[in-house]
Amino acid sequence: MATPSRKTSTSSPLASKRALPRDPSSEVPSKKKSSAPQAAPPPPLPLQSSGPFVEGSIVRIAMENFLTYDICEVSPGPHLNMIIGANGTGKSSIVCAICLGLAGKPAFMGRADKVGFFVKRGCTKGMVEIELFRTSGNLIITREIDVAKNQSFWFINKKSTTQKVVEEQVAALNIQVGNLCQFLPQDKVGEFAKLSKIELLEATEKSVGPPEMHRYHCDLKNFREKEKQLETSCKEKTEYLEKMIQRNERYKQDVERFYERKRHLDLIEMLEAKRPWVEYENVRQEYEEVKLARDRVKEEVRKLKEGQIPMTHRIEEIERQRYNLEARIKEKAIDIKETSQKCKQKQDIIERKDKQNKPQIFLTEVCLPVLVHKIEELQQALTVKQNEEHDRQRRISNTRKMIEDLQNELKTTENCENLQPQIDAITNDLRRVQEEKALCEGEIIDKRKERENLEKEKKNVDDHITRFDDLMNQKEDKLRQRYRDTYAAVLWLRNNRDKFKQRVCEPIMLTINMKDNKNAKYIENHIPANDLRAFVFESQEDMEVFLKEVRDNKKLRVNAVIAPKNSYADKAPSRSLNELKEYGFFSYLRELFDAPDPVMSYLCCQYHIHEVPVGTERTRERIERVIQETRLKQIYTAEEKYVVKTSFYSNKVISSNTSLKVAQFLTVTVDLEQRRHLEEQLKEINRKLQAVESGLITLCETNKHLEHKDNELRQKKKDLLERKTKKRQLEQKISSKLGSLKLMEQDTCNLEEEERKASTKIKEINVQKAKLVTELTNLIKICTSLHIQKVDLILQNTTVISEKNKLESDYMAASSQLRLTEQHFIELDESRQRLLQKCKELMKRARQVCNLGAEQTVPQEYQTQVPTIPNGHNSSPPMAFQDLPNTLDEIDALLTEERSRASCFTGLNPTVVEEYTKREEEIEQLTEELKIKKVELDKYRENISQVKERWLNPLKELVEKINEKFSNFFSSMQCAGEVDLHTENEEDYDKYGIRIRVKFRSSTQLHELTPHHQSGGERSVSTMLYLMALQELNRCPFRVVDEINQGMDPINERRVFEMVVNTACKENTSQYFFITPKLLQNLPYSDKMTVLFVYNGPHMLEPNRWNLKAFQRRRRRITFTQPSQ
């Protein structure tokens, strides 16, 4: 038997513990206070047991630096192990060692969440070692715990391993420390009753069911979940499929109409495709006809050319005769020319006598009129000279008369020397007037410049005032939009200011002008909106008049306030701003804006704006210090407002802060003082403008008077100057006229001499006329004879020419016919070429319509007839064309009809057909998917049926056995209890559970075991009896129950203890650990029990001094000697 030992360095009064065995097979764990260094424990003694251990039972538990133990080793028995000891002695520490040593989690015990907390305080490492019985050789699991790293190191049979391997080894022995039906720690006793029916079933399956039972249950839950998913999927797909089918049924008619329209469009497309082929065939036939016509015309041209040859020969012969006659005519013409030359010579003689160079005259009939005309010219020249002489005499007479008149006027003209003093005096006056005028005009220019400057200045001031008015209008618009009654009251006030005795200020929001718009938010957050729209009065009487008129009569909702009698506007703050600058304050609220004195006074009095400072972000960063040191009641930072109060009861400083709202009304600034200054400036400018205008008018009148005087003086001076120069002008005119008279008298003409010369010339001309007539008469006779001969030759020539012309006419007619025929041939040839080109183009287009390449051969299945194309290639329309019309008119008529039919199908959307087709495919796909899903669902249902049969029937049998034993246990206690398999729906396998119903009093009904209905003792009894019912069925190697009897009354505790002893001490039952701090007297015990007592105290023996055999001998001696005494 091994001797447990423990070392500790603590001075706790609970420093030593020792377990006293009830029989020689028991093992006693011990603790003792010791200041000696910790030594390694002695090697364990060979295990002894009073009965056979089942596979996986615990044969040894060793602990080192674990919770309350320094070193301790426990050797439990194979059946019921009762661990007894006072509270705090270390009973539950053994339970914790079992759990952690078998790879359990700290949370299973409900004590701590980290394994490091289970190491004894003050130690850096701890160790738990569990030895499990195994027929092939015991399994020793060692767990070393490192406090600093909160890690565990695992060993199996002294060989390092991993936690996963340990868990696998433990699970192979069917040990479940996390199952409350097998392992029920002290802190988890209450949770057993809190287990739901589902959780209890799962724990029971794992604890007493066959290994495959829980797996089957899990498979069923998974299968059922997948079955639900498949059922849902099938249902959704079926519904969706039905919707798709219904939707397609709705659109089926539209799709049929679409395809009907498509058939018409396809026919239209076929007709449009055939039309080029028909056009091509028509053009090809036309081409053939033109080609035949061209060949016929070509033959006609050849015949016409052959018929022109005889006519050409005859024309050439006549041409030779005409040439001879024309030669003789030319000879006669030469003779006529020579005779005419002689006539010309005579005419030249006459012309040389003439002073004028006239053109040569060849005919005698023209020479006589020339001579007559010469005589008339001489007579006309004489008449002209006579008229000129009469005109000269008349002009001489007129000039003499003018000279006489000028001489008379010269005698009457006064002497000009007396006029110079008058001219000098007028000149001086004129100079003086001009100087005055220049001075006046300079003043006018200055006045006008001054007026222009004043007008510019006035315009600038007006613009400034307009801008102020615009800003004021913006403020008034905001007031009107938000407070219509207040705005109406403002308009009334402006029209009725004469009704008030003292000053009345418009609403505060209109009179306040921010110096910087970004600070408007502070004022609007500080002054309530009701006061911002309030009118400020200096007199109570004025306010009553205003309110009576506005509120009572006009029914307007307005606010009005009275400014203090003593002005607060200039009241100094209690603390200088310089003292506050270190906290980031830059101004008081009062300094952020301008306002009329009554408004400023009211705001200082009512809202203490002269005492509220405004800070920056720096102020907010040190706000606690600001509040504590400055004791300010209100503070503004960059974005927040702080209000500081002092409690009347505790005298503590309480502060609250709010975020600043965005400014709405005061962002527009209007400086009314500056506007009044501008208005005064405008009045002054207007006054100056009036003065300037008045002065300008006076100067203009003065300038006008000087202008008039200047004009008068200039006119006087002009008259005097004209009078002074008049005599000299008359003398010059007289001298000029005398010169002209002298010239006219010198230019004389002798008319008689001129008349005599003219008569002599006329006689000479008449003699020449007679001589010329005789000579010309002879020459004319000769010329006439020559002309007769020439005419005869011309007649002969004319006959020849006539014959020639007739032949040429016939030739020209034949040539014209030939030209027309050739032209017709050319036209036909051009038409042939054009039709050939058109045939090629139509062929190309027809091939494009049929998607055939230029060199691609038409497939046989698309061929009908094979017409010959002019270019030598073959082509044919598709087979689909043979049932269509073969003329353009029929094709066009059918096209029109089909287009009309197609146009009747309106409102059709191709996307509907696409969606219809897509849905048809989707319906087909869904149908296939649904079929697959149903097959899969049937497969799952079949699997569920098979697994359910394997799981449910054994489970029902198991629950029935548990119920039988559970009911028997309760019956032996004169109570009632039953266990059944509960479910609301047989198919919901995740809702199956074990329901425990108990009855502790005969007057009540069976009630389900819950954390609230039964008392603590009743729950403990029910839990214990359920675990006892599992004991004989349990396939786990051991069970642990920690202090479950704490809430039981003595009767139930005794009954439960008897059942535990009777059940756990049977043959072939699993190991049982029953931990309790106390026991009733006179309880029944069994020889198969192992009782482990845990003691502690300051006088415990050291582990190396503990000798169990000596203790037993001493105990026997005491027992044997007692009777004799």
Side-chain angles (χ1 to χ4, degrees):
M1 179 170 47
T3 304
S5 62
R6 177 180 181 272
K7 293 184 179 179
T8 181
S9 58
T10 62
S11 58
S12 171
L14 302 176
S16 299
K17 299 182 180 179
R18 174 176 295 176
L20 181 63
R22 185 173 177 272
D23 55 33
S25 63
S26 65
E27 216 174 295
V28 184
S30 65
K31 301 181 185 179
K32 186 177 180 181
K33 178 177 178 181
S34 174
S35 59
Q38 185 172 342
L45 298 175
L47 290 176
Q48 297 180 5
S49 64
S50 59
F53 287 92
V54 298
E55 191 82 4
S57 297
I58 300 173
V59 297
R60 183 173 61 88
I61 305 170
M63 297 166 284
E64 182 177 346
N65 297 331
F66 187 80
L67 290 176
T68 58
Y69 294 103
D70 287 337
I71 296 174
C72 181
E73 187 173 299
V74 178
S75 296
H79 297 289
L80 177 60
N81 292 274
M82 186 176 296
I83 303 175
I84 304 173
N87 291 329
T89 55
K91 302 183 300 300
S92 296
S93 298
I94 299 174
V95 176
C96 294
I98 295 172
C99 179
L100 295 180
L102 296 176
K105 296 179 180 179
F108 290 167
M109 279 82 71
R111 288 196 170 193
D113 57 350
K114 293 183 180 180
V115 70
F117 292 154
F118 290 89
V119 177
K120 186 176 181 179
R121 186 177 299 175
C123 300
T124 58
K125 290 184 179 181
M127 185 273 293
V128 175
E129 188 172 87
I130 306 294
E131 184 176 350
L132 301 176
F133 176 79
R134 198 167 57 178
T135 55
S136 60
N138 287 0
L139 180 68
I140 300 175
I141 300 174
T142 306
R143 182 174 189 171
E144 294 182 358
I145 304 171
D146 190 330
V147 177
K149 298 180 180 179
N150 193 40
Q151 290 182 345
S152 297
F153 302 96
W154 296 90
F155 301 89
I156 293 180
N157 296 331
K158 306 303 180 180
K159 293 181 180 180
S160 179
T161 186
T162 61
Q163 183 175 349
K164 184 176 181 182
V165 175
V166 174
E167 290 175 349
E168 292 174 353
Q169 294 285 348
V170 170
L173 296 172
N174 199 31
I175 298 174
Q176 305 169 20
V177 293
N179 189 343
L180 295 182
C181 290
Q182 178 179 347
F183 194 90
L184 190 61
Q186 177 183 352
D187 297 314
K188 293 286 185 176
V189 171
E191 291 188 10
F192 185 87
K194 297 179 183 179
L195 288 177
S196 65
K197 296 186 286 292
I198 299 171
E199 292 172 340
L200 184 58
L201 172 61
E202 184 177 352
T204 303
E205 285 178 337
K206 292 178 180 180
S207 178
V208 299
E212 66 276 4
M213 180 177 284
H214 182 64
R215 178 165 53 81
Y216 286 156
H217 191 187
C218 292
D219 291 343
L220 279 174
K221 288 190 284 186
N222 293 333
F223 288 156
R224 177 55 182 163
E225 186 65 27
K226 291 181 180 179
E227 182 187 18
K228 288 181 179 178
Q229 294 175 0
L230 286 172
E231 287 175 349
T232 304
S233 178
C234 289
K235 183 179 179 182
E236 291 175 353
K237 287 184 182 295
T238 303
E239 292 175 355
Y240 185 62
L241 182 61
E242 291 175 355
K243 290 180 181 178
M244 296 284 283
I245 293 172
Q246 292 173 2
R247 189 177 300 175
N248 262 18
E249 286 296 326
R250 288 198 300 269
Y251 291 112
K252 187 175 182 180
Q253 185 177 359
D254 290 342
V255 173
E256 290 176 353
R257 292 178 68 241
F258 178 84
Y259 282 114
E260 181 67 23
R261 178 175 177 270
K262 189 174 185 304
R263 282 192 290 273
H264 289 294
L265 293 177
D266 290 342
L267 182 56
I268 291 171
E269 184 179 356
M270 295 295 293
L271 289 169
E272 290 176 346
K274 183 174 181 179
R275 199 176 190 281
W277 291 94
V278 175
E279 288 179 347
Y280 160 74
E281 184 61 26
N282 293 341
V283 173
R284 189 189 65 79
Q285 293 176 1
E286 185 180 356
Y287 165 81
E288 295 294 340
E289 294 173 359
V290 170
K291 184 180 178 183
L292 293 174
R294 188 201 67 158
D295 293 340
R296 289 194 298 270
V297 171
K298 186 177 181 180
E299 183 64 23
E300 291 178 6
V301 169
R302 186 185 63 78
K303 291 178 179 180
L304 287 172
K305 285 182 178 180
E306 291 177 354
Q308 279 185 331
I309 294 174
M311 295 172 57
T312 304
H313 295 328
R314 178 61 183 160
I315 289 171
E316 290 175 354
E317 183 180 352
I318 292 173
E319 182 66 23
R320 285 192 294 270
Q321 294 178 6
R322 186 185 66 79
Y323 180 75
N324 293 330
L325 289 172
E326 286 181 352
R328 293 172 64 189
I329 290 170
K330 286 181 181 179
E331 291 176 357
K332 295 299 180 181
I334 291 170
D335 294 341
I336 292 171
K337 184 177 181 181
E338 290 176 353
T339 304
S340 298
Q341 186 67 28
K342 293 177 181 179
C343 293
K344 183 179 179 183
Q345 290 174 356
K346 295 297 183 181
Q347 187 177 2
D348 289 341
I349 294 171
I350 298 172
E351 289 178 353
R352 281 196 295 271
K353 294 179 180 181
D354 194 0
K355 292 181 181 180
Q356 297 180 357
N357 294 324
K358 298 292 183 181
Q360 295 181 357
I361 306 298
F362 297 99
L363 299 176
T364 56
E365 291 84 0
V366 183
C367 294
L368 290 176
V370 170
L371 294 173
V372 173
H373 182 67
K374 183 67 175 176
I375 293 170
E376 290 177 355
E377 286 181 351
L378 290 173
Q379 290 176 352
Q380 289 177 358
L382 180 62
T383 303
V384 168
K385 287 184 179 182
Q386 289 174 352
N387 292 334
E388 287 178 354
E389 180 62 21
H390 291 313
D391 184 63
R392 186 180 68 84
Q393 292 297 331
R394 183 181 56 77
R395 284 188 284 111
I396 290 172
S397 176
N398 290 335
T399 303
R400 286 176 178 172
K401 186 176 180 181
M402 289 178 64
I403 291 172
E404 185 178 355
D405 292 339
L406 290 172
Q407 287 176 348
N408 292 333
E409 186 178 356
L410 181 62
K411 290 178 182 180
T412 59
T413 303
E414 63 179 344
N415 192 2
C416 62
E417 295 178 357
N418 298 328
L419 298 175
Q420 189 61 40
Q422 296 180 18
I423 292 173
D424 293 340
I426 291 173
T427 301
N428 292 332
D429 292 341
L430 185 61
R431 186 182 298 112
R432 180 178 55 78
V433 169
Q434 287 177 346
E435 289 176 355
E436 292 178 359
K437 182 181 175 185
L439 182 62
C440 183
E441 288 177 349
E443 291 179 356
I444 289 174
I445 291 172
D446 293 339
K447 289 289 184 181
R448 285 176 177 170
K449 288 183 179 179
E450 184 179 359
R451 184 179 65 181
E452 290 177 358
N453 293 333
L454 287 172
E455 286 176 348
K456 289 181 181 178
E457 188 176 354
K458 179 182 177 183
K459 186 176 182 303
N460 291 332
V461 173
D462 284 336
D463 291 342
H464 278 82
I465 292 175
T466 302
R467 285 196 290 271
F468 277 117
D469 290 342
D470 291 341
L471 294 174
M472 194 65 186
N473 289 337
Q474 292 181 20
K475 297 181 72 172
E476 291 176 2
D477 285 342
K478 290 185 177 181
L479 178 66
R480 178 174 53 81
Q481 293 171 5
R482 187 69 180 272
Y483 307 109
R484 291 186 177 273
D485 289 358
T486 305
Y487 178 74
V490 169
L491 298 180
W492 182 87
L493 174 64
R494 292 175 180 174
N495 295 326
N496 297 276
R497 287 191 178 274
D498 55 342
K499 294 184 180 182
F500 302 102
K501 298 178 180 179
Q502 296 187 22
R503 185 175 180 182
V504 179
C505 295
E506 293 182 357
I508 294 176
M509 67 171 62
L510 297 180
T511 56
I512 283 180
N513 289 293
M514 300 302 303
K515 296 179 180 178
D516 190 343
N517 291 341
K518 69 181 182 181
N519 295 325
K521 59 184 179 181
Y522 302 118
I523 306 304
E524 289 195 19
N525 280 273
H526 191 74
I527 303 173
N530 287 336
D531 272 6
L532 280 176
R533 62 189 180 96
F535 294 82
V536 181
F537 294 84
E538 292 183 335
S539 166
Q540 179 72 28
E541 184 180 354
D542 286 345
M543 187 174 76
E544 291 176 355
V545 171
F546 175 80
L547 294 177
K548 181 178 180 181
E549 180 66 30
V550 174
R551 281 187 181 175
D552 300 341
N553 297 341
K554 295 185 175 296
K555 307 300 181 182
L556 299 178
R557 292 177 296 177
V558 297
N559 294 339
V561 296
I562 298 180
K565 293 182 179 180
N566 299 324
S567 178
Y568 283 77
D570 298 326
K571 187 176 181 180
S574 58
R575 300 183 64 172
S576 172
L577 185 62
N578 293 330
E579 298 178 13
L580 302 176
K581 284 186 177 180
E582 63 174 308
Y583 302 108
F585 294 106
F586 63 89
S587 175
Y588 283 104
L589 287 178
R590 182 176 62 183
E591 278 67 42
L592 297 180
F593 64 93
D594 295 324
D597 187 75
V599 174
M600 188 67 79
S601 177
Y602 171 77
L603 294 177
C604 290
C605 177
Q606 185 69 23
Y607 296 107
H608 307 286
I609 58 175
H610 61 293
E611 296 283 0
V612 179
V614 181
T616 59
E617 192 66 24
R618 179 183 168 197
T619 309
R620 191 190 65 79
E621 292 174 355
R622 54 184 68 183
I623 189 65
E624 293 183 0
R625 178 186 166 198
V626 172
I627 292 172
Q628 294 297 328
E629 295 181 1
T630 61
R631 294 291 180 175
L632 292 169
K633 294 182 179 180
Q634 293 187 67
I635 299 169
Y636 283 92
T637 62
E639 298 295 336
E640 293 178 331
K641 175 184 179 181
Y642 288 84
V643 178
V644 182
K645 297 180 180 179
T646 303
S647 175
F648 290 104
Y649 303 100
S650 62
N651 204 29
K652 290 183 179 179
V653 176
I654 303 171
S655 65
S656 62
N657 66 307
T658 56
S659 298
L660 298 181
K661 299 178 182 177
V662 179
Q664 298 180 357
F665 301 106
L666 303 181
T667 53
V668 179
T669 302
V670 181
D671 192 342
L672 296 179
E673 196 63 33
Q674 186 177 359
R675 189 182 187 284
R676 283 194 292 272
H677 176 70
L678 288 172
E679 289 177 348
E680 293 174 358
Q681 187 177 353
L682 183 63
K683 290 179 181 178
E684 182 64 20
I685 291 171
N686 289 330
R687 186 185 62 75
K688 289 181 180 180
L689 272 174
Q690 290 178 356
V692 169
E693 287 289 343
S694 177
L696 189 61
I697 292 171
T698 303
L699 288 173
C700 288
E701 291 177 354
T702 304
N703 186 57
K704 186 176 180 181
H705 175 71
L706 291 174
E707 184 76 24
H708 180 69
K709 191 173 182 180
D710 180 75
N711 292 333
E712 289 180 351
L713 290 173
R714 287 179 183 276
Q715 187 64 37
K716 289 180 180 179
K717 184 178 179 180
K718 181 181 178 182
D719 294 341
L720 291 173
L721 290 174
E722 288 178 354
R723 288 167 59 190
K724 182 179 179 181
T725 58
K726 187 175 182 181
K727 184 177 181 180
R728 186 166 54 253
Q729 291 174 353
L730 290 173
E731 290 175 349
Q732 291 176 354
K733 287 181 179 180
I734 292 171
S735 176
S736 175
K737 293 297 181 181
L738 289 173
S740 299
L741 180 63
K742 186 176 180 180
L743 292 173
M744 286 187 290
E745 288 176 348
Q746 291 177 355
D747 188 15
T748 58
C749 179
N750 192 349
L751 291 177
E752 294 178 357
E753 183 64 24
E754 292 294 332
E755 289 176 358
R756 186 184 59 77
K757 290 179 179 179
S759 297
T760 303
K761 290 180 178 179
I762 291 171
K763 290 178 180 179
E764 292 177 355
I765 292 170
N766 288 331
V767 173
Q768 293 175 1
K769 276 172 57 178
K771 186 178 180 180
L772 285 172
V773 168
T774 303
E775 292 177 353
L776 285 174
T777 301
N778 295 329
L779 291 172
I780 289 170
K781 290 179 179 178
I782 296 168
C783 189
T784 301
S785 175
L786 292 172
H787 275 292
I788 291 171
Q789 296 174 8
K790 182 180 178 182
V791 168
D792 184 54
L793 292 172
I794 290 171
L795 289 174
Q796 294 178 16
N797 189 34
T798 302
T799 302
V800 173
I801 290 173
S802 176
E803 184 179 359
K804 178 189 174 185
N805 287 340
K806 183 176 181 306
L807 289 172
E808 287 180 347
S809 177
D810 293 340
Y811 181 83
M812 290 299 295
S815 298
S816 177
Q817 181 66 28
L818 178 61
R819 283 196 301 273
L820 291 173
T821 306
E822 288 178 342
Q823 182 65 31
H824 189 203
F825 172 78
I826 293 170
E827 290 176 356
L828 288 173
D829 191 61
E830 290 177 353
S831 178
R832 183 187 70 84
Q833 294 291 340
R834 186 176 66 257
L835 290 172
L836 177 61
Q837 184 63 29
K838 190 173 182 181
C839 280
K840 292 179 180 179
E841 292 176 358
L842 290 173
M843 171 57 66
K844 183 179 179 180
R845 191 173 70 176
R847 282 180 167 272
Q848 287 177 351
V849 170
C850 294
N851 294 324
L852 296 175
E855 302 298 331
Q856 186 177 356
T857 304
V858 179
Q860 185 64 32
E861 59 270 18
Y862 290 101
Q863 295 182 359
T864 52
Q865 57 182 355
V866 185
T868 302
I869 303 177
N871 60 8
H873 295 86
N874 292 331
S875 180
S876 64
M879 285 287 290
F881 292 168
Q882 62 185 1
D883 297 330
L884 299 177
N886 294 319
T887 64
L888 288 177
D889 293 338
E890 292 176 348
I891 289 174
D892 290 340
L894 187 56
L895 268 173
T896 303
E897 181 182 353
E898 290 300 321
R899 283 172 180 160
S900 299
R901 290 180 178 178
S903 64
C904 294
F905 294 94
T906 58
L908 297 179
N909 192 350
T911 56
V912 173
V913 180
E914 293 177 4
E915 292 176 359
Y916 180 86
T917 307
K918 185 178 179 181
R919 278 195 294 270
E920 283 290 333
E921 295 174 357
E922 194 172 350
I923 287 170
E924 184 177 353
Q925 183 180 355
L926 277 174
T927 305
E928 188 64 28
E929 290 179 1
L930 189 59
K931 183 178 179 182
I932 295 171
K933 290 287 184 183
K934 287 182 177 179
V935 171
E936 188 178 357
L937 179 60
D938 293 339
K939 183 178 178 182
Y940 269 105
R941 285 174 176 169
E942 183 179 355
N943 292 338
I944 289 172
S945 178
Q946 294 175 359
V947 176
K948 179 181 178 182
E949 185 178 354
R950 298 173 188 168
W951 170 74
L952 188 58
N953 293 335
L955 178 62
K956 288 181 177 179
E957 294 176 1
L958 179 64
V959 172
E960 186 61 34
K961 292 178 182 179
I962 295 172
N963 178 52
E964 182 182 354
K965 294 185 177 296
F966 187 76
S967 299
N968 292 336
F969 289 147
F970 263 85
S971 297
S972 64
M973 296 175 61
Q974 287 78 43
C975 298
E978 67 177 27
V979 176
D980 62 356
L981 186 64
H982 178 266
T983 182
E984 296 177 357
N985 185 359
E986 188 176 352
E987 301 299 327
D988 291 338
Y989 303 106
D990 55 341
K991 301 295 176 61
Y992 273 80
I994 288 181
R995 180 175 60 178
I996 300 175
R997 297 193 298 167
V998 295
K999 180 177 73 171
F1000 288 91
R1001 288 166 289 279
S1002 58
S1003 60
T1004 61
Q1005 299 293 326
L1006 288 171
H1007 290 285
E1008 186 176 347
L1009 180 66
T1010 64
H1012 312 291
H1013 191 273
Q1014 288 81 15
S1015 65
E1018 290 173 344
R1019 290 198 300 273
S1020 297
V1021 171
S1022 302
T1023 301
M1024 192 66 188
L1025 293 182
Y1026 184 79
L1027 294 178
M1028 294 305 301
L1030 300 180
Q1031 179 66 21
E1032 294 182 2
L1033 303 173
N1034 198 355
R1035 61 184 180 86
C1036 62
F1038 65 87
R1039 179 175 287 106
V1040 176
V1041 179
D1042 188 2
E1043 297 190 13
I1044 197 171
N1045 57 338
Q1046 291 302 301
M1048 299 182 188
D1049 57 68
I1051 297 173
N1052 287 331
E1053 183 178 356
R1054 185 177 296 277
R1055 290 174 179 174
V1056 169
F1057 185 81
E1058 290 177 357
M1059 293 178 190
V1060 170
V1061 172
N1062 295 332
T1063 303
C1065 292
K1066 291 182 180 180
E1067 293 292 336
N1068 299 323
T1069 58
S1070 60
Q1071 195 176 31
Y1072 201 101
F1073 290 88
F1074 186 85
I1075 294 92
T1076 179
K1078 48 97 178 172
L1079 285 174
L1080 299 174
Q1081 295 180 356
N1082 301 320
L1083 291 175
Y1085 294 94
S1086 171
D1087 293 336
K1088 296 181 179 181
M1089 290 176 57
T1090 300
V1091 181
L1092 303 174
F1093 293 94
V1094 182
Y1095 289 99
N1096 64 357
H1099 304 294
M1100 298 295 294
L1101 291 174
E1102 295 293 336
N1104 55 1
R1105 295 176 56 190
W1106 177 259
N1107 190 331
L1108 182 59
K1109 291 182 179 180
F1111 174 79
Q1112 290 174 343
R1113 286 195 299 270
R1114 190 164 53 251
R1115 179 63 178 170
R1116 291 191 193 101
R1117 285 197 302 269
I1118 294 173
T1119 303
F1120 294 153
T1121 56
Q1122 280 180 354
S1124 61
Q1125 293 176 356

